[in-house]
Amino acid sequence: MASANKPQSTARRDALHALEDSVQKKWEETKVFECDAGEEGAEKFMVTFPYPYMNGLLHIGHSYSLTKAIFAAQFHRLLGKKVLFPFGFHCTGMPIQAAANKLKREYQVYGSPDPIFPPGRPTPKVLEGKEKEGQIEIDESGVTLVFKAPSSTGKKDVKAFHLDMKVDDGAFKEVAKLENPTITKGKVQTKAPIEGGKCVYKVRCCLADGTWTPESKESDEVAVDAAPKDKAKGGKPGGPKVAKKLLAKAGDAAFQWEILKAMGLSSEEMIPFTDPLYWLQYFPPLGQRDLKRFGAPVDFRRSFITTSVNAYYDSFVRWQFRKLKSGDKIGFGKRPTIYSETDGQACMDHDRAEGEGVAPQEYTAIKIELAEVPACMSKLKGKKIFLLAATLRPETMPGQTNCWILPSGTYGCFKAPGDAVYVCSHRSARNMSFQDILTPWGKPECLQEVTGKDLMGCKVKCPTAKYDTVHLLPLLTIKMDKGTGIVTSVPSDSPDDYAAFMDLMKPGKRQHLGIKAEWVEPFEIVPIIDVEIDGELRTHAAQYMCEKLGVQSQNDTVKLQEAHDVCYKLGFDKGVMSSGPFKGQPVKKAKLLFRDQMVKDEQAFLYSEPEKKVVGRSGDECVVAAIDQWYLKYGEESWRKQVEQHLNGEDFVTYNTRIKESFQDAVSWLKEWACSRSFGLGTLVPWDEKFVIESLSDSTIYMSYYTVAHFLQDKALDGTKGGSEGIKPEQMTDEVWDFIYKNGKMPNTKIPKATLERMRKEFRFWYPMDLRVSGKDLIQNHLTMSLYNHACVWDDEPAMWPKGFFCNGLTLVNNEKMSKSKGNFFTLQEIIQKHSADAVRIACANCGDTLEDGNFEEEICDNAVKKLPVFLEVMKSFISGAEPLDTGKEDSTFLDRWFANELNRLVEETKNHYATMYYREALRTCYFEFGSAFDKYRDICNNAKRKMNKALVMRYLEWQMIILSPIAPHFCETGWEMLEKKGSVLNAKWPTPTKPVDTLIVTQGIYMYDKVPHDFVKLMEKASKSGKPTSATVYVAKEFPDWKVSVLSVLRARHGKGELPLVTPEEMKDSEKAKVQWKDIMAEIMQNPALKPFGKHLGPFAAFKRDEAAQLGESALSASALFDELGLIRESLEYLKEKLFCDVEVFDVKDIKCKEHQDAAANAQPGKPVIYYSGFTGGGAPAAGKAGGGGGGGKASAPKGKPANGNAVALIKDLKALNEHLSTRSYFEGGGAPTAADAGQLAQLPKGDVSSEQYPHVARWQRHISSFNPTIRAKW
């Protein structure tokens, strides 16, 4: 027996690598991907992909989206079009600058070239499933700590790790020493003691020479006392012993040195990376290398990098921005902007390590005056002290009954204008200081700190409230990292406020929290908004919804969320103010009026903060700052309408409705966008060179630059070597750009006129861009901004605006998010080396084509590596004659006609899938099903002891190479050469079907090669329990029995009048018209006295034929057979004999062989032959049965949940498990076609559509399987 640990052979993978190298050399020599403008009227297709950011290597996440563009480019080339797929490399912005700076700082702090890093922060191991609660399992030995070993120790060995612990405010003491520690995947795990109080840990590392690394950061605080208790056990801990993290700190951020090391760089090779410009020289060529290795059909003559380093692109961006400014699309002034204090400038989407897409959120800060100063704030007496409550609903302020505060929260008392003091969270005060509300800039002056507990019960004056004063009360759900940490309370409108306020009406709750009755009970709830809910006008919406949903306390979070959604949505959309200065006004109108009035009366002011956490590339948490900047006026009404009209017009394609809806949302959301920053890589703002254009703003119409880039800089990515035409950067004036792009007049320039004419021709041939492919994350910024900027630059020529965008979800790898720690993060180079380029491309095609996240499954790669080389060997045997073929006519037998028809059908279906960018389906039809059809043809020929037809086999091989070439081009190019075809398969023409697809032949094929043998085998298995039959007799009926003829007559008549509902059973449920029509038809059938003896069979048979008619047309209602079943089975007798392992005869039911067969033969009907088994070995009795179903008779089809091979298949009831199962396959059993298992699994699903958000793979499979008529599913 072979050893289980024996490494797998890589021979097939290596063979694929070898042929890929050979094919890529051929493509390089023939310049197959270089394409210039054609003559006027020539068909063209231009596809682009967002240029990747060059702070690292391309990875598998890029490949998923990238292949959509690759497949599209190669498919349209097969249609005979001239195709352009250019590719650039993005270097603008802060990420490269920040990474270089970070590496430089690491060298300064930890040494160079081999730093001495500290161990990672020790992290307590959390109970599985209790991550959110921060519960930590402990045992007698204490708590389990995990920390990262230093990734670099100056080339010195680690001698020991020393673990220190402190309790509360005590000093750190050593509690453990780990000598010769075990390091697994860069991590160390150890036990540490735990004591009462707050325990904190840190790690020190001693090196072999006696020196020490810097010590680690301190761990989270861990406390046994804070662990939850089990009330059912009298307050004693329930289950395993647990401790609890009191305050979760950030995890270990990777050092830049570690990131570069993971890319394969040595310590010495990293040193130049402290210069940001070195990154521009290093990574783009590697991007080109990996794209070529992947077989990307890129015209690299047109490739370039961005930033001012590339003088040609710099000139292009300057021209673009002058166009935007002259079109009044750029403004200047202070604008609230996400801002990095470390970088000292705006932090836009591509500058962020966390929080892409997050925008400033504007709040109204309500100034709630402290009416009595507590002792803890005595030094502030004499000053006006205001608690700041941030709200998004200023119009509700008249309904305040109290003000909420977090007892454990720490608040700052900040010096404010006019000798006032503002009390709020430190985080919100920091944001305000960057907006000139508090001073100084970025460092608000904090006079003192107080806790929420110190202020509990204090009287406050809430502006516009009914009550002169109310009290500060505790709310334990307040978050100090959002808003000011102080919350207004309006119980009539807010379900959360209502639930919390009613909790404090309970004496026991008040006593527990130390709240006096007079702080709560005198304050009745104040109605402020009238809104219709459930058909009635509600004055206390929050109370109504809480009572309706059965909310018992503020802990009923799920119910409260539902109540909140109803109250806020209906209240804002349809509510009317019932109190306050704007009584009678609609809420949505009163909101802004009330806010403006409060600001005018100095009862409130506006401030902003990030709507979610944003972290810049330099590692700091960003704020919102009011800074002077240039900004694009996105959202301006006339500009927005231009974009909306194009987006909703017939000339723009998004390939599915969800993508279009996402763009519609983005267009309505996108507003003024800061397009400048103070420093970083990029182009200077042409008219104000102290600013740099930010990375998204210079990347909106660069697709047009591809059309002429090869004239300017085809000798180097950065343009420093110029181009073949000898054009200099300084010659690219605005007048030259206008001539090329805007049909401007011939400029006065030294550039030859003929060259300029060719450049303009190139642009006008390739533009507009036909397709842009991207991940869905760019919809909210780059892609929508591209529409805006095209609409400005080519405002007089909408024909130049983009014609189509396709977006997909993100990428999972082996059904998990990509992560180095999970071992499923691969660079493009790594994954190709592991599996081969074509295997990776096949797996990418199998990922899916929707906005749901795709799943890259390495198992698909493995299967491709196994199959592709074998296919080429089999192909060689046909070409060489080692496997003989029949040279006769290709249509002399039904089997040949069927195979030819299948090839035609699958070629047409594949073409449609490619055209609509459903590449997973294209892979199914052009790879799995195309190959399956050939395998079936070959199998039947072998069983029938005949040769395959040579013309058909050669056609199959040629067409297979062509239709699979967009996905697996290296494999197909190799096969193309084996067929001795001229040129490249990439330039072949898409196959033209030899004949229109014949649906009757499809039906006959299913009958003869699927249903009949499958059902006959099942019947034989059933009859063979006591022996094997040696002979079988098949009886075929040409006509239905009289009662079925009568039913069919009614159906045909109704069909002729247009009254037969040709819908699926599922559609029937939702169509009243169809229900009425079917009810009338069944009434007519049941009224026929001659049919009464067959009553129980009438409904099933009629419904079965109705469903067949919906699938196959009126021919399904014929009273006789649709085709010559007797002749078809006789022609296939040899095949049937091999399948059944016995002798087979076939007769018309009118020619019964012997009396014993008479009863069995009587059950035959068109489409459902009967078989009679006899001559059993082992004493078995003769047996008979009918093939197929059809209503009104016995069925011999496989039970639900069983595939055609008869083996039981375990159906999956859990949707999560089913989603995982289907993530790597098109069908339940994983083949290229559906089986009975698919039909059985579909029947197991709960009624209605499965959530595409929660179970994307099940939803995709459900839609596909449901698209088959039940009649067809029954035949599986």
Side-chain angles (χ1 to χ4, degrees):
M1 180 180 288
S3 169
N5 296 321
K6 184 178 180 180
Q8 291 185 336
S9 170
T10 61
R12 292 183 182 178
R13 193 270 321 266
D14 296 342
L16 291 177
H17 280 161
L19 70 84
E20 287 169 358
D21 291 342
S22 174
V23 166
Q24 286 165 14
K25 184 177 180 181
K26 170 185 174 180
W27 290 342
E28 192 82 24
E29 291 172 351
T30 58
K31 301 180 179 180
V32 68
F33 301 130
E34 294 183 10
C35 193
D36 295 318
E39 296 304 316
E40 187 175 350
E43 282 195 284
K44 65 90 182 179
F45 184 78
M46 180 183 180
V47 56
T48 65
F49 177 81
Y51 42 27
Y53 201 78
M54 287 291 98
N55 59 344
L57 299 172
L58 298 178
H59 55 72
I60 199 170
H62 290 115
S63 69
Y64 173 45
S65 297
L66 175 62
T67 50
K68 311 301 183 189
I70 290 174
F71 300 158
Q74 296 187 188
F75 167 67
H76 283 273
R77 187 191 301 272
L78 295 174
L79 298 182
K81 299 177 184 179
K82 292 183 78 68
V83 172
L84 176 61
F85 181 27
F87 202 97
F89 301 95
H90 198 196
C91 304
T92 305
M94 278 300 298
I96 288 175
Q97 180 78 62
N101 292 347
K102 187 178 179 185
L103 181 64
K104 190 174 184 178
R105 287 195 298 270
E106 289 170 8
Y107 282 151
Q108 291 169 349
V109 174
Y110 302 112
S112 166
D114 292 288
I116 299 178
F117 289 128
R121 184 198 307 275
T123 304
K125 197 171 183 181
V126 179
L127 276 171
E128 187 175 349
K130 297 293 184 180
E131 290 82 1
K132 289 185 178 179
E133 293 87 346
Q135 290 186 27
I136 301 161
E137 184 169 357
I138 59 175
D139 56 24
E140 300 303 325
S141 303
V143 62
T144 300
L145 296 175
V146 179
F147 61 89
K148 184 173 77 173
S151 55
S152 176
T153 54
K155 293 188 175 181
K156 302 174 185 178
D157 292 333
V158 173
K159 181 179 181 181
F161 290 110
H162 296 254
L163 183 66
D164 296 345
M165 180 184 82
K166 74 171 183 177
V167 180
D168 295 328
D169 296 326
F172 275 103
K173 296 180 181 178
E174 184 173 313
V175 292
K177 181 179 179 181
L178 286 75
E179 294 185 292
N180 302 314
T182 300
I183 301 175
T184 306
K185 293 183 178 181
K187 297 290 183 74
V188 179
Q189 182 170 305
T190 185
K191 285 286 187 180
I194 187 168
E195 299 178 12
K198 301 173 184 176
C199 297
V200 177
Y201 306 88
K202 68 179 180 181
V203 178
R204 293 176 293 118
C205 176
C206 182
L207 302 177
D209 63 355
T211 60
W212 295 78
T213 71
E215 63 185 31
S216 76
K217 294 179 180 178
E218 295 178 7
S219 74
D220 301 324
E221 292 180 346
V222 182
V224 179
D225 303 336
K229 307 297 181 182
D230 188 339
K231 292 181 180 179
K233 297 183 179 182
K236 297 180 180 179
K241 293 182 179 180
V242 294
K244 185 174 176 64
K245 285 196 288 187
L246 297 183
L247 181 62
K249 298 179 181 177
D252 293 311
F255 291 109
Q256 188 63 49
W257 189 93
E258 294 173 325
I259 295 170
L260 292 172
K261 187 74 173 177
M263 294 181 191
L265 284 102
S266 68
S267 301
E268 290 71 23
E269 288 173 323
M270 291 185 210
I271 293 174
F273 283 89
T274 55
D275 178 2
L277 297 183
Y278 185 74
W279 296 65
L280 280 59
Q281 301 169 30
Y282 186 84
F283 284 114
L286 296 182
Q288 279 190 321
R289 175 203 67 186
D290 294 343
L291 289 169
K292 288 179 180 180
R293 182 86 189 277
F294 198 43
V298 172
D299 184 348
F300 284 110
R301 298 175 302 160
R302 303 169 188 262
S303 295
F304 60 89
I305 66 168
T306 65
T307 76
S308 57
V309 169
N310 184 346
Y312 296 99
Y313 187 73
D314 187 67
S315 171
F316 168 75
V317 173
R318 286 169 170 266
W319 168 80
Q320 175 200 166
F321 262 70
R322 281 191 281 263
K323 285 292 175 193
L324 292 167
K325 193 168 190 294
S326 65
D328 194 28
K329 304 303 183 188
I330 295 181
F332 184 79
K334 285 191 181 293
R335 289 291 183 277
T337 305
I338 305 292
Y339 180 85
S340 166
E341 184 178 11
T342 300
D343 296 334
Q345 63 176 357
C347 184
M348 306 311 290
D349 273 8
H350 281 192
D351 301 328
R352 301 174 187 174
E354 179 183 342
E356 187 170 344
V358 174
Q361 172 69 67
E362 184 182 76
Y363 288 96
T364 302
I366 309 298
K367 296 166 67 175
I368 299 174
E369 186 177 356
L370 198 59
E372 56 185 17
V373 180
C376 65
M377 298 172 68
S378 58
K379 70 177 184 178
L380 300 180
K381 280 187 177 180
K383 297 180 182 290
K384 283 257 187 180
I385 302 173
F386 295 98
L387 282 75
L388 301 181
T391 182
L392 299 174
R393 299 290 305 277
E395 77 282 6
T396 65
M397 292 305 97
Q400 295 174 90
T401 56
N402 62 285
C403 185
W404 301 117
I405 197 162
L406 181 67
S408 61
T410 299
Y411 297 85
C413 303
F414 297 94
K415 184 178 179 181
D419 203 32
V421 175
Y422 290 166
V423 181
C424 59
S425 66
H426 285 275
R427 180 179 178 276
S428 60
R430 179 169 174 254
N431 274 271
M432 292 176 196
S433 71
F434 283 102
Q435 298 163 47
D436 297 321
I437 297 168
L438 296 175
T439 57
W441 172 270
K443 299 189 183 299
E445 184 178 349
C446 183
L447 303 175
Q448 73 167 88
E449 286 186 342
V450 293
T451 67
K453 188 176 181 180
D454 295 333
L455 302 177
M456 201 65 61
C458 286
K459 287 184 180 180
V460 291
K461 297 178 181 178
C462 295
T464 76
K466 171 184 175 181
Y467 302 105
D468 293 335
T469 60
V470 295
H471 294 270
L472 289 172
L473 300 178
L475 185 65
L476 304 183
T477 56
I478 288 176
K479 295 179 179 179
M480 298 298 286
D481 60 355
K482 191 168 187 176
T484 58
I486 297 165
V487 181
T488 61
S489 176
V490 186
S492 63
D493 182 64
S494 166
D496 296 282
D497 291 344
Y498 176 80
F501 193 69
M502 297 312 292
D503 276 354
L504 295 181
M505 289 291 183
K506 304 169 185 174
K509 189 72 171 179
R510 288 202 301 269
Q511 183 179 2
H512 174 70
L513 295 172
I515 303 301
K516 297 179 180 179
E518 58 265 32
W519 297 351
V520 183
E521 291 180 345
F523 301 94
E524 295 181 358
I525 294 175
V526 182
I528 53 168
I529 294 174
D530 292 339
V531 58
E532 183 178 316
I533 304 177
D534 294 341
E536 290 187 26
L537 195 68
R538 310 292 176 183
T539 58
H540 292 72
Q543 179 180 352
Y544 170 75
M545 286 304 302
C546 285
E547 290 176 352
K548 174 186 175 181
L549 297 175
V551 173
Q552 298 298 313
S553 75
Q554 58 188 301
N555 296 323
D556 288 343
T557 54
V558 175
K559 293 178 180 178
L560 281 171
Q561 184 62 52
E562 182 180 350
H564 173 278
D565 293 345
V566 172
C567 288
Y568 275 48
K569 185 178 188 310
L570 293 181
F572 185 75
D573 291 341
K574 299 180 180 180
V576 175
M577 300 302 300
S578 62
S579 66
F582 299 101
K583 182 178 180 179
Q585 294 272 25
V587 170
K588 59 175 61 178
K589 182 178 180 181
K591 175 178 180 175
L592 297 180
L593 294 172
F594 204 97
R595 181 199 69 182
D596 294 345
Q597 185 65 51
M598 292 188 75
V599 171
K600 180 181 177 182
D601 295 341
E602 297 186 353
Q603 297 171 329
F605 59 84
L606 304 181
Y607 93 99
S608 300
E609 61 180 56
E611 57 189 356
K612 293 180 182 177
K613 184 179 181 180
V614 177
V615 177
R617 297 279 181 182
S618 297
D620 62 322
E621 183 173 349
C622 295
V623 296
V624 171
I627 57 174
D628 283 329
Q629 58 189 301
W630 294 99
Y631 59 90
L632 285 154
K633 300 178 182 178
Y634 296 138
E636 186 270 319
E637 186 175 5
S638 62
W639 201 9
R640 176 175 51 79
K641 284 183 177 179
Q642 281 182 291
V643 175
E644 287 175 337
Q645 287 171 3
H646 181 65
L647 180 62
N648 297 320
E650 295 180 358
D651 295 331
F652 187 75
V653 181
T654 55
Y655 294 90
N656 75 53
T657 55
R658 282 195 60 200
I659 295 176
K660 187 171 185 177
E661 289 167 359
S662 297
F663 273 105
Q664 289 168 336
D665 290 343
V667 171
S668 65
W669 166 85
L670 189 61
K671 296 295 186 289
E672 295 173 348
W673 183 273
C675 59
S676 64
R677 57 167 44 80
S678 301
F679 69 93
L681 302 178
T683 295
L684 300 178
V685 175
W687 57 87
D688 191 354
E689 294 194 351
K690 65 177 178 288
F691 290 106
V692 180
I693 296 170
E694 67 94 21
S695 62
L696 280 170
S697 299
D698 81 343
S699 308
T700 54
I701 65 165
Y702 71 88
M703 313 86 184
S704 62
Y705 184 77
Y706 285 130
T707 64
V708 297
H710 59 308
F711 288 92
L712 305 175
Q713 56 162 104
D714 60 347
K715 293 183 178 180
L717 288 171
D718 61 5
T720 53
K721 297 180 182 179
S724 303
E725 300 295 331
I727 300 171
K728 297 178 180 178
E730 58 268 23
Q731 292 176 315
M732 296 305 296
T733 63
D734 283 6
E735 291 72 26
V736 171
W737 291 117
D738 282 344
F739 177 81
I740 296 169
Y741 290 132
K742 295 285 291 176
N743 270 336
K745 65 182 181 179
M746 178 63 69
N748 182 15
T749 177
K750 291 183 180 181
I751 302 173
K753 180 179 178 180
T755 302
L756 288 172
E757 293 284 4
R758 285 167 55 214
M759 292 173 75
R760 179 153 74 179
K761 176 187 176 183
E762 195 80 13
F763 167 70
R764 300 203 75 80
F765 179 79
W766 290 116
Y767 241 57
M769 173 177 58
D770 297 279
L771 174 66
R772 187 156 181 80
V773 172
S774 169
K776 65 183 179 182
D777 53 311
L778 295 187
I779 292 175
Q780 63 193 359
N781 45 53
H782 161 70
L783 294 174
T784 302
M785 292 161 68
S786 177
L787 292 176
Y788 267 106
N789 286 24
H790 275 86
C792 173
V793 175
W794 288 279
D795 60 330
D796 57 346
E797 201 171 3
M800 292 292 108
W801 303 359
K803 294 180 67 176
F805 286 164
F806 178 89
C807 300
N808 52 258
L810 303 180
T811 320
L812 304 176
V813 177
N814 300 327
N815 229 23
E816 291 187 298
K817 288 185 177 180
M818 288 189 293
S819 168
K820 287 186 175 68
S821 64
K822 294 178 181 177
N824 70 342
F825 179 90
F826 300 98
T827 64
L828 187 54
Q829 180 188 30
E830 289 170 340
I831 198 69
I832 291 172
Q833 183 59 35
K834 187 175 182 181
H835 296 293
S836 82
D838 282 352
V840 173
R841 290 168 63 128
I842 286 170
C844 285
N846 189 67
C847 279
D849 309 290
T850 67
L851 286 181
E852 279 82 29
D853 293 347
N855 180 36
F856 182 93
E857 181 58 59
E858 285 193 90
E859 185 180 352
I860 299 295
C861 292
D862 293 336
N863 289 336
V865 168
K866 293 173 185 175
K867 291 179 180 179
L868 296 182
V870 173
F871 186 99
L872 292 176
E873 288 300 315
V874 172
M875 185 176 177
K876 188 185 297 182
S877 70
F878 290 128
I879 295 171
S880 66
E883 184 165 340
L885 300 171
D886 182 4
T887 57
K889 292 183 178 180
E890 64 179 68
D891 60 352
S892 58
T893 68
F894 171 77
L895 176 59
D896 292 332
R897 293 193 299 276
W898 167 81
F899 183 51
N901 192 64
E902 283 297 282
L903 296 183
N904 290 337
R905 178 180 69 83
L906 290 169
V907 160
E908 286 289 271
E909 287 187 17
T910 299
K911 184 178 182 180
N912 181 60
H913 293 322
Y914 274 131
T916 53
M917 298 189 71
Y918 278 99
Y919 297 123
R920 182 171 184 152
E921 294 305 305
L923 181 70
R924 174 177 61 82
T925 52
C926 80
Y927 180 55
F928 295 114
E929 290 189 17
F930 209 70
S932 179
F934 175 74
D935 291 342
K936 182 178 288 187
Y937 177 58
R938 191 182 187 190
D939 179 55
I940 295 170
C941 285
N942 289 337
N943 284 332
K945 297 179 176 61
R946 54 153 288 189
K947 298 175 185 176
M948 292 185 288
N949 181 271
K950 183 174 183 177
L952 291 177
V953 171
M954 291 300 113
R955 182 185 306 157
Y956 160 73
L957 294 175
E958 179 182 345
W959 286 11
Q960 178 69 94
M961 295 305 104
I962 295 172
I963 66 176
L964 184 59
S965 65
I967 296 174
H970 306 90
F971 163 78
C972 294
E973 189 73 82
T974 304
W976 192 251
E977 292 174 353
M978 290 171 62
L979 291 169
E980 298 183 349
K981 297 292 181 179
K982 293 181 180 179
S984 169
V985 70
L986 304 179
N987 291 325
K989 294 296 179 285
W990 187 265
T992 301
T994 55
K995 291 181 180 179
V997 176
D998 189 329
T999 56
L1000 184 59
I1001 291 181
V1002 174
T1003 302
Q1004 289 174 281
I1006 293 172
Y1007 170 89
M1008 191 63 251
Y1009 303 132
D1010 292 326
K1011 185 170 69 68
V1012 167
H1014 166 255
D1015 292 346
F1016 283 1
V1017 167
K1018 292 300 296 179
L1019 287 165
M1020 183 179 66
E1021 290 173 352
K1022 185 177 180 181
S1024 300
K1025 292 178 180 178
S1026 56
K1028 299 287 185 183
T1030 59
S1031 63
T1033 307
V1034 177
Y1035 289 98
V1036 178
K1038 295 180 179 179
E1039 296 179 344
F1040 285 101
D1042 291 343
W1043 72 269
K1044 291 188 177 182
V1045 170
S1046 298
V1047 172
L1048 290 168
S1049 176
V1050 173
L1051 298 180
R1052 281 198 307 277
R1054 292 288 185 142
H1055 185 274
K1057 297 176 184 178
E1059 297 174 356
L1060 181 64
L1062 300 178
V1063 296
T1064 65
E1066 290 79 8
E1067 293 169 334
M1068 178 80 79
K1069 296 173 184 176
D1070 300 323
S1071 172
E1072 290 301 321
K1073 180 181 178 182
K1075 289 179 184 176
V1076 170
Q1077 287 179 331
W1078 189 244
K1079 184 178 180 180
D1080 291 344
I1081 290 170
M1082 288 310 301
E1084 180 180 349
I1085 291 173
M1086 299 302 286
Q1087 287 172 2
N1088 185 340
L1091 298 179
K1092 286 188 177 180
F1094 309 97
K1096 69 177 182 179
H1097 301 304
L1098 297 177
F1101 176 72
F1104 180 82
K1105 299 307 290 184
R1106 177 201 68 204
D1107 293 344
E1108 272 197 331
Q1111 183 74 20
L1112 303 174
E1114 187 179 10
S1115 62
L1117 303 178
S1118 173
S1120 57
L1122 298 176
F1123 51 87
D1124 182 5
E1125 295 179 46
L1126 187 63
L1128 183 58
I1129 294 178
R1130 280 177 174 166
E1131 185 178 325
S1132 306
L1133 270 183
E1134 290 302 318
Y1135 165 62
L1136 274 182
K1137 288 177 183 178
E1138 287 295 316
K1139 279 288 183 183
L1140 301 178
F1141 302 102
C1142 67
D1143 191 43
V1144 182
E1145 297 178 291
V1146 59
F1147 297 94
D1148 189 296
V1149 289
K1150 296 177 181 178
D1151 302 318
I1152 296 175
K1153 182 179 179 181
C1154 57
K1155 287 185 178 181
E1156 288 83 1
H1157 296 181
Q1158 191 163 358
D1159 290 342
N1163 287 319
Q1165 62 185 48
K1168 295 158 185 70
V1170 160
I1171 190 166
Y1172 188 95
Y1173 290 106
S1174 57
F1176 283 82
T1177 60
K1186 180 173 65 175
K1195 296 184 180 180
S1197 55
K1200 288 182 180 179
K1202 288 191 177 182
N1205 62 16
N1207 296 326
V1209 173
L1211 301 181
I1212 301 173
K1213 294 183 179 180
D1214 179 67
L1215 286 178
K1216 184 177 181 182
L1218 181 60
N1219 191 65
E1220 183 174 351
H1221 178 76
L1222 292 171
S1223 66
T1224 60
R1225 59 199 79 202
S1226 293
Y1227 299 107
F1228 188 83
E1229 292 189 275
T1235 66
D1238 290 278
Q1241 183 64 57
L1242 184 67
Q1244 287 283 338
L1245 291 183
K1247 291 183 179 179
D1249 292 336
V1250 172
S1251 168
S1252 61
E1253 294 290 340
Q1254 196 170 6
Y1255 308 109
H1257 302 296
V1258 178
R1260 179 262 311 159
W1261 172 86
Q1262 182 189 41
R1263 287 193 299 272
H1264 178 60
I1265 299 302
S1266 298
S1267 70
F1268 290 95
N1269 187 280
T1271 306
I1272 299 300
R1273 293 203 295 266
K1275 295 175 182 177
W1276 295 342

